[in-house]
Amino acid sequence: MKTLVAASVLFAGLALADLPAAEQKPEVVPEAAAPKHPQGIENAGAGVISGGWEYVYAAYTLGTLGVLGFATSLFFRRPKAQPERTS
Amino acid sequence: MPPFVPLTLFALVVAAIIAHVAVPSVRGWLWKPIAGLGAFMLVALWYLGLVWAPPEQFMSDVGRILYVHVPHVWMALLAFTLNVGCAVAYLMKKSFVTDALAESAAEVGVYFGAVGVTMGSIWARPTWGVWWDWDPRLISTTVMLLAYVGYLALRSFTEDPERRATWSAVAAILSYVSLPIVWFSVRWWNSLHQVQSSPSTVDKPMVQVLRWGAITLLCFLYVFIVKRYQIARSRQTAAMELPPLEAPRPEAA
Amino acid sequence: MTAESRNRLIAVGAILVAGAALSWIAFGNIGENLVYYWKPSEMLAQGDKAYGATVRLGGVVVPGSVQWSPEHTSLTFDVADTHQPAAPKVKVSSEVTPPQMFREGIGVVVEGSFASDQVFKTNRLMVNHSNEYRAPGSDGGMPSDWKGSLSQADTTTEK
């Protein structure tokens, strides 16, 4: 991100120095289009997904938290003072 | 691995549930080693699924969601199958044991189904490009889950235990219609969701991790159902005991 | 009638109703009335009736038909019924960026409308995944350079 900002500042500086405006377009398009796409526009239609680990971690975390959560809810609903078992 | 092994494993879980219900001495301890095994296998599943298994050729690492999404939905289908089995058993021979077991299986099934569908949605975003679309598989799964949520609501709204048991058993049988529809939806209609895979369409290491995930969740399926069953039984006993202030009577077991 | 036999009667009734409902869905004509998407041939068979309505079109992306706009943000491609070269096809113009898995030969479902200029305009483009899960390079390539081997075989991205 920092390098991107630095690069665009430098780029803007250069652009202002000799070629105003015209060159700024390619810099803007991916930024604007990125939110539409899960992994950014640069890999759109590549045929293969690159990255996406956040989805994988989200799914595994959901599964693990779900097991813990359901177990916790069972624990708090456990029968009280049942002689046949304790937990 | 021959195709009957998954069903054998499910039969084993059902046998363990029956043992829990029928044999009081099993109740105190059997769930503990199974819960421990499940916890260990779940930790190992993180390693096997995220590190050990290869990426998929087109989905690359996103394909690893396979090992948690599919077993969750399988568990939901198994739990609902247990639910309908108990419902029919109740109508054939009145027993609050099968009624309590039906209730716990339905709740655990809704849990696994809801988590599985959410995981599917997370998976759909990077692969299909959308979080959700009203494709036949997704519609039928939603209807199935809503049917069982309705089943649980019906149970909680009905006061009289016998009326509740009888009419929720009818609701259970009717809800179960949704299950074959979910299963065959990808074959009967055009859908975005792919048809069922089989070991011949999945590479061997992936099949192994998928089975690991399924056995992991089978452990939790067992523990959740028997623990939820005990809650249901104690509620029944409490409901039976309340009007006459007597010593607790053993219910039909 | 005892409560027991009444319950059994209820069970038989419920199972019959459930079975009837299921066979009505499975073997009745509900399958033809519930359509998630049209294949190109089905949409073309509608003739003028297909124009204008918001529908879903599904099929496979015809290899060699994918054309990107210069900024790589919109594209046109053909969707065919099947992988057969002679299969009926429809030209699709997408204003949205496709998912990463989009490639030639992949299954897609697009939502939009067909117009009399024979172009299907879409703003919702979904790709599907087959029921095959393969490790990269399992069809011969080196596992370590699976991304490289695939991009050699695939020329969809003409940047």
Side-chain angles (χ1 to χ4, degrees):
Chain A
M1 200 60 218
K2 264 185 188 167
T3 42
L4 191 72
V5 171
S8 47
V9 167
L10 186 67
F11 185 80
L14 285 175
L16 281 174
D18 41 18
L19 285 173
E23 290 288 301
Q24 287 191 359
K25 199 116 195 206
E27 190 72 10
V28 172
V29 170
E31 291 270 18
K36 287 183 196 165
H37 197 276
Q39 280 93 33
I41 197 165
E42 63 279 1
N43 291 310
V48 174
I49 297 176
S50 64
W53 274 102
E54 61 273 24
Y55 297 100
V56 182
Y57 288 132
Y60 277 65
T61 307
L62 173 68
T64 306
L65 289 183
V67 164
L68 293 175
F70 199 84
T72 310
S73 102
L74 288 176
F75 177 77
F76 282 113
R77 289 184 287 168
R78 72 190 183 281
K80 283 172 211 79
Q82 283 284 92
E84 57 183 48
R85 43 150 241 108
T86 54
S87 68
Chain B
M1 193 152 89
F4 56 81
V5 170
L7 284 178
T8 313
L9 283 172
F10 178 54
L12 212 63
V13 170
V14 172
I17 290 171
I18 292 172
H20 177 99
V21 169
V23 187
S25 63
V26 164
R27 236 164 268 168
W29 63 271
L30 184 59
W31 69 274
K32 290 176 186 169
I34 294 181
L37 178 67
F40 163 75
M41 289 187 76
L42 181 61
V43 173
L45 182 63
W46 277 74
Y47 172 77
L48 291 173
L50 300 182
V51 180
W52 185 81
E56 210 273 338
Q57 57 179 344
F58 297 123
M59 291 191 282
S60 60
D61 295 316
V62 172
R64 298 172 190 279
I65 297 175
L66 172 75
Y67 315 122
V68 287
H69 163 69
V70 174
H72 270 85
V73 184
W74 279 348
M75 293 310 123
L77 302 185
L78 291 180
F80 294 148
T81 304
L82 185 66
N83 169 267
V84 78
C86 290
V88 173
Y90 175 85
L91 292 177
M92 289 299 145
K93 188 177 184 312
K94 206 181 85 173
S95 154
F96 284 112
V97 168
T98 45
D99 180 53
L101 210 48
E103 175 181 311
S104 48
E107 188 183 300
V108 173
V110 168
Y111 158 73
F112 278 117
V115 173
V117 167
T118 313
M119 285 172 169
S121 173
I122 293 172
W123 200 5
R125 182 68 181 110
T127 48
W128 293 350
V130 292
W131 292 105
W132 189 266
D133 202 55
W134 292 106
D135 120 300
R137 172 50 79 77
L138 276 59
I139 292 173
S140 55
T141 311
T142 307
V143 169
M144 176 182 77
L145 289 179
L146 288 179
Y148 282 95
V149 168
Y151 167 88
L152 291 172
L154 175 72
R155 291 193 66 96
S156 65
F157 292 147
T158 316
E159 289 289 331
D160 178 47
E162 281 202 31
R163 279 171 57 93
R164 175 174 63 203
T166 305
W167 293 110
S168 67
V170 171
I173 292 170
L174 296 181
S175 301
Y176 197 70
V177 171
S178 63
L179 200 123
I181 299 174
V182 167
W183 186 261
F184 291 109
S185 58
V186 287
R187 299 191 180 273
W188 286 346
W189 299 295
N190 290 336
S191 71
L192 184 60
H193 195 288
Q194 66 272 31
V195 298
Q196 288 88 358
S197 296
S198 74
S200 63
T201 64
V202 183
D203 271 2
K204 205 169 174 221
M206 299 177 176
V207 175
Q208 288 165 338
V209 180
L210 183 57
R211 284 184 178 144
W212 185 277
I215 296 171
T216 306
L217 291 186
L218 271 178
C219 293
F220 289 119
L221 182 75
Y222 170 78
V223 174
F224 288 170
I225 286 180
V226 298
K227 284 298 169 189
R228 182 63 182 77
Y229 164 77
Q230 284 174 341
I231 295 167
R233 287 295 284 153
S234 78
R235 282 182 187 164
Q236 282 174 348
T237 318
M240 299 285 169
E241 276 167 12
L242 261 181
L245 277 172
E246 295 171 15
R249 259 179 293 163
E251 268 306 320
Chain C
M1 188 154 88
T2 64
E4 196 95 289
S5 59
R6 185 196 66 133
N7 271 3
R8 288 183 189 172
L9 214 62
I10 290 175
V12 171
I15 292 170
L16 283 179
V17 171
L22 183 62
S23 44
W24 177 64
I25 291 167
F27 306 112
N29 62 356
I30 190 168
E32 284 106 68
N33 297 333
L34 285 179
V35 176
Y36 171 59
Y37 63 73
W38 276 339
K39 288 182 175 161
S41 60
E42 291 163 343
M43 200 179 74
L44 293 171
Q46 300 283 322
D48 294 354
K49 280 191 287 177
Y51 298 151
T54 300
V55 292
R56 294 194 198 89
L57 173 73
V60 291
V61 177
V62 176
S65 69
V66 180
Q67 290 196 320
W68 290 87
S69 68
E71 304 89 37
H72 213 259
T73 48
S74 62
L75 74 162
T76 61
F77 53 92
D78 293 347
V79 170
D81 275 32
T82 63
H83 283 100
Q84 303 298 322
K89 58 189 180 185
V90 168
K91 191 167 200 63
V92 173
S93 149
S94 166
E95 290 141 26
V96 290
T97 314
Q100 287 185 350
M101 284 222 306
F102 182 82
R103 61 181 180 271
E104 298 181 345
I106 198 175
V108 289
V109 174
V110 289
E111 198 177 300
S113 57
F114 195 44
S116 48
D117 61 357
Q118 303 299 305
V119 174
F120 189 95
K121 270 196 153 77
T122 178
N123 50 20
R124 189 168 160 93
L125 165 54
M126 296 165 278
V127 306
N128 110 317
H129 185 264
S130 75
N131 66 339
E132 290 201 17
Y133 296 84
R134 303 286 180 208
S138 57
D139 43 37
M142 288 286 286
S144 56
D145 65 350
W146 56 278
K147 274 185 187 167
S149 66
L150 198 97
S151 61
Q152 278 166 18
D154 195 318
T155 52
T156 46
T157 49
E158 296 152 3
K159 286 197 180 183

